Amino acid sequence: MASPPRTQKPDPLGAGLRLLARPNVLAGLSSALLAVLFSVLFSVNSQAQTSQTPPLPRTQITRLEQACNFLAAEKPTDFVLENACARHLETIGQMLRHSTWRDECERNILPGLENLGSYYEQTPGSSEIGVDKLLFLPLGRGHFLIALACSQGAYNTDYLVFTYEDRPHPAQPKLLWFPEIQYSGNHVRLHYTARLTLRDFDARTHSLYHYAKYLGNGSGGNYAEYVIDAKTFMPRLKVWISKADTDHQGNYQFKRGQRPHAKGWQAYPHPAQGKLGAIDQRSKQPFSTHPKIESLPDVPE
């Protein structure tokens, strides 16, 4: 009796080797493998470039022609903070020129924020803008205040103060409003102002010092100290001292650590430190808890 024919077991490995032995198949497969390899390498390289650790926020910004300007970059990760800072200043300039502050601030004081490159080309190697007209005041961890000169008189230079976060995509700039005390006789009331006669800044305590002189000899004016919250940017009024009469007595010239204390100067401390006086009771909370942060109108496209 004849035995049934034997069935051949499948040999996938041998079949694959025989298929690869064909010249046209091997060439096509090699091209495909190379294409896949180059694709993987390109993807890894791109991810390595885009996943690089972002630059650390800066602790100080002084030489603006390099630290806060539009700079050409070969890689996406180059100069991200410098360019972002320049965009932030450009936005502030555009916002001011499309708001009521356009008329409030003298145009000869405002620097050319819309085109920082041209501005620096006009003053090569100069940091004049970073000395008087535009100051970056550090609060730590990449948080800054930007003090921008608004108007200038014989005795005082008034500043507008904006927020800034030193990162590749900084938050929209905000304008700070500062509480101040206005009084007439025994009536005292809370008021807010965005114009600060900035005399000094203490980076250690995050304190802003305001002193507006009514007369050159300092016999009248108002003095204030504000402490800025480094996280929220909120200002807190620490002390307000003022003298309405310019009688050429009790003269005071600003010096950090020395407050006006001569006869005629009246101090209004924080309520926790003493009696505040006849503060307008329409403000139901202590004046030091009423800071404001404002967004200026959107810039038209």
Side-chain angles (χ1 to χ4, degrees):
M1 184 175 180
S3 59
R6 296 166 55 182
T7 58
Q8 188 175 6
K9 295 182 179 180
D11 184 11
L13 179 60
L17 291 175
R18 287 191 295 273
L19 181 63
L20 288 176
R22 300 180 182 179
N24 56 342
V25 173
L26 184 60
L29 188 57
S30 299
S31 300
L33 288 173
L34 288 174
V36 171
L37 179 61
F38 280 119
S39 176
V40 170
L41 290 176
F42 180 79
S43 175
V44 170
N45 185 55
S46 299
Q47 291 179 5
Q49 290 184 353
T50 58
S51 63
Q52 288 182 357
T53 303
L56 293 176
R58 294 169 289 190
T59 57
Q60 62 178 353
I61 297 176
T62 52
R63 299 286 296 183
L64 301 188
E65 55 269 58
Q66 292 296 325
C68 194
N69 205 344
F70 292 109
L71 301 174
E74 295 182 0
K75 297 185 298 184
T77 53
D78 287 343
F79 308 127
V80 292
L81 295 182
E82 292 83 350
N83 292 332
C85 183
R87 286 197 303 272
H88 194 86
L89 291 183
E90 187 179 54
T91 300
I92 290 177
Q94 293 173 354
M95 291 165 66
L96 288 174
R97 283 165 175 79
H98 292 90
S99 71
T100 57
W101 292 104
R102 176 186 58 193
D103 301 322
E104 292 283 340
C105 298
E106 299 174 8
R107 298 185 181 185
N108 61 323
I109 296 296
L110 287 174
L113 297 180
E114 288 91 340
N115 193 338
L116 289 173
S118 297
Y119 183 85
Y120 291 124
E121 288 173 5
Q122 294 170 10
T123 56
S126 170
S127 61
E128 179 185 357
I129 189 175
V131 174
D132 296 319
K133 299 178 182 179
L134 184 60
L135 306 171
F136 280 77
L137 310 177
L139 299 175
R141 296 187 178 182
H143 281 201
F144 291 83
L145 298 178
I146 297 177
L148 178 65
C150 175
S151 61
Q152 189 172 36
Y155 314 128
N156 307 303
T157 298
D158 290 343
Y159 289 81
L160 300 178
V161 182
F162 294 85
T163 63
Y164 174 64
E165 298 179 41
D166 194 43
R167 59 185 187 181
H169 302 286
Q172 185 79 358
K174 301 292 190 304
L175 176 66
L176 294 187
W177 288 74
F178 297 88
E180 64 177 9
I181 301 298
Q182 293 184 344
Y183 67 96
S184 176
N186 293 326
H187 180 71
V188 183
R189 74 182 183 94
L190 173 69
H191 186 258
Y192 288 96
T193 180
R195 295 172 66 150
L196 196 68
T197 308
L198 181 63
R199 298 288 179 175
D200 196 7
F201 172 74
D202 187 341
R204 183 180 60 86
T205 61
H206 304 156
S207 297
L208 288 173
Y209 295 87
H210 156 90
Y211 175 48
K213 294 197 292 185
Y214 296 161
L215 199 63
N217 63 12
S219 62
N222 52 68
Y223 168 98
E225 296 175 12
Y226 299 93
V227 178
I228 308 299
D229 188 299
K231 294 181 180 179
T232 65
F233 296 104
M234 287 290 189
R236 178 177 64 85
L237 180 57
K238 185 176 180 181
V239 66
W240 180 272
I241 306 174
S242 60
K243 182 173 181 286
D245 297 329
T246 53
D247 53 7
H248 303 280
Q249 297 181 15
N251 300 358
Y252 171 75
Q253 302 297 334
F254 175 81
K255 185 177 181 180
R256 188 198 294 184
Q258 297 182 5
R259 298 173 176 175
H261 61 275
K263 183 179 179 179
W265 291 90
Q266 294 178 285
Y268 298 92
H270 187 284
Q273 299 173 352
K275 187 176 180 181
L276 187 60
I279 282 291
D280 192 336
Q281 293 303 312
R282 286 175 296 180
S283 176
K284 296 182 180 180
Q285 298 181 10
F287 67 85
S288 59
T289 61
H290 275 250
K292 292 167 55 179
I293 296 182
E294 178 189 20
S295 297
L296 291 177
D298 292 336
V299 179
E301 295 183 357

